[in-house]
Amino acid sequence: MKDKIWILLMILCLLIIGVVTGITFSLDHTIYQFFVSFHNPLLLEIASFFSSFSSVAVLFVISFILIFFLRNNKDRLFLVITLLSSAAFILLTKNFFARPRPELGSMLTDYSFPSGHSFISVAFYGFLLYLLQKSKPNKYIKNFFTIFLIFLIVAIPLSRLVLGVHYITDVIAGAILGILLLFLIVYLYNKVELPLKKEKPLLQTFHYAIDGIFSTIKRERNMVIHVLVMILVVGAGIFYEISMEEWLICITLFGMVLALELVNTAVENVVDLVTEEKKAKAKLAKDAAAGAVLIMAFFAACVGILIFLPKII
């Protein structure tokens, strides 16, 4: 492993020297013109599609989804570390070298060297590939995603050349940096020991949560009132055509009131489970939880009046 790292570092140093001194200028432009010569609408659409897998929006969505589906907190933590460290490092290196992009990439606001998409594709999807090999899913599912991740790791850097937004040295340097970061992340992952808690399947935890919501609606009068008020407010919002900002405020308040009512129900049941005797602390716990719901509901009603009263009058 150390030999591979030293070889990669030597290649990276040679690339940097070549780019800074202009030695690679001729090679870069020759390969750039080669890829540009194949341009056609369909090819550019395909390249743009695969390139988007290393865009900020797609990486954020993938990370957000995986946070729920990864097997433990260690995997989640290192996934986020990989993504954030990749973004930070590529930002620093791009601004340090400040290499202008080729002609077709000149509309982009950032610099060319090294390729951020290539860097992140190797580091981020490479780490997902590492986690996949450690997991034990169905054999066919594992093989499918292994092939898919390897394909992305290759296709994303290639797509940057096809689009004409990077030189070949940008892409190679980005890929090497991604490999080096991946080695570091995997090394730290294996060194760091975190307590691993056996977790229940995600769908099962959703089932428990949904069951708790419907059980509360069935048994608690106040929860039914909150839900009916929410339905009425939604109907009024549609009728009076409230703005997107007003919808966001209403939806946020719905969630806060309903969540507090669920917490209030949980507190009441836990207190009853612990003791059925009339104790001052037990009464305070129940009253405080109910008071929290009342305060939230009161202020939600005030906000609702401020939104709807001018429209009614």
Side-chain angles (χ1 to χ4, degrees):
M1 180 64 72
K2 290 182 179 180
D3 292 339
K4 294 178 181 178
I5 293 174
W6 279 113
I7 291 171
L8 288 172
L9 286 172
M10 288 176 62
I11 296 173
L12 181 62
C13 290
L14 291 174
L15 282 173
I16 292 172
I17 292 171
V19 169
V20 171
T21 60
I23 295 174
T24 62
F25 179 83
S26 177
L27 174 66
D28 279 329
H29 281 268
T30 299
I31 296 177
Y32 170 74
Q33 292 299 330
F34 171 78
F35 280 101
V36 170
S37 66
F38 288 100
H39 274 192
N40 63 71
L42 177 60
L43 182 62
L44 292 176
E45 285 292 330
I46 294 172
S48 297
F49 173 74
F50 287 115
S51 182
S52 68
F53 277 87
S54 270
S55 66
V56 173
V58 172
L59 290 171
F60 175 81
V61 171
I62 291 173
S63 300
F64 183 81
I65 293 172
L66 288 175
I67 283 174
F68 292 96
F69 285 94
L70 288 175
R71 57 179 183 168
N72 56 60
N73 288 334
K74 184 178 179 180
D75 291 356
R76 298 183 184 102
L77 175 63
F78 275 89
L79 175 72
V80 173
I81 290 174
T82 302
L83 182 60
L84 295 181
S85 59
S86 298
F89 191 79
I90 204 65
L91 184 64
L92 289 172
T93 52
K94 275 181 177 288
N95 286 291
F96 178 78
F97 292 106
R99 185 189 199 186
R101 285 184 181 268
E103 184 180 351
L104 292 177
S106 59
M107 73 290 293
L108 301 176
T109 56
D110 60 342
Y111 295 111
S112 188
F113 184 88
S115 167
H117 281 69
S118 302
F119 182 100
I120 294 177
S121 67
V122 173
F124 182 79
Y125 291 114
F127 183 65
L128 291 185
L129 183 61
Y130 173 75
L131 293 181
L132 179 64
Q133 301 313 305
K134 289 174 62 64
S135 63
K136 298 178 181 178
N138 177 277
K139 181 179 71 173
Y140 298 104
I141 294 176
K142 185 173 183 177
N143 290 339
F144 171 79
F145 280 107
T146 297
I147 295 171
F148 178 68
L149 289 172
I150 293 173
F151 178 78
L152 282 182
I153 292 170
V154 175
I156 292 171
L158 183 61
S159 71
R160 306 306 286 171
L161 294 173
V162 173
L163 291 171
V165 295
H166 277 293
Y167 297 114
I168 184 67
T169 48
D170 301 336
V171 170
I172 295 174
I176 291 174
L177 285 169
I179 294 171
L180 292 172
L181 178 64
L182 179 59
F183 283 163
L184 176 61
I185 292 294
V186 171
Y187 173 79
L188 294 175
Y189 179 90
N190 290 318
K191 283 291 183 181
V192 174
E193 294 293 336
L194 293 178
L196 298 179
K197 177 184 175 183
K198 187 176 180 180
E199 298 179 347
K200 296 177 181 177
L202 184 65
L203 292 178
Q204 187 176 353
T205 62
F206 283 163
H207 171 75
Y208 293 151
I210 293 170
D211 186 56
I213 293 170
F214 281 101
S215 296
T216 304
I217 292 174
K218 290 178 183 178
R219 300 175 184 177
E220 297 296 329
R221 177 193 61 187
N222 289 349
M223 190 65 167
V224 174
I225 293 173
H226 294 319
V227 171
L228 293 177
V229 169
M230 180 184 72
I231 294 171
L232 289 175
V233 171
V234 169
I238 296 171
F239 180 79
Y240 288 108
E241 298 180 348
I242 63 177
S243 67
M244 179 60 68
E245 291 78 10
E246 290 169 333
W247 272 118
L248 290 174
I249 292 171
C250 289
I251 291 170
T252 301
L253 292 174
F254 294 158
M256 294 175 72
V257 172
L258 294 177
L260 273 178
E261 185 60 51
L262 288 168
V263 172
N264 177 46
T265 302
V267 170
E268 288 181 349
N269 280 274
V270 168
V271 170
D272 290 340
L273 184 64
V274 172
T275 178
E276 294 183 358
E277 299 178 17
K278 292 185 178 181
K279 296 182 178 180
K281 289 186 177 180
K283 182 178 184 302
L284 177 60
K286 287 186 174 184
D287 292 348
V293 178
L294 178 62
I295 290 174
M296 188 67 248
F298 173 76
F299 282 101
C302 292
V303 173
I305 291 171
L306 292 174
I307 290 175
F308 287 100
L309 188 59
K311 303 179 186 301
I312 296 172
I313 296 177

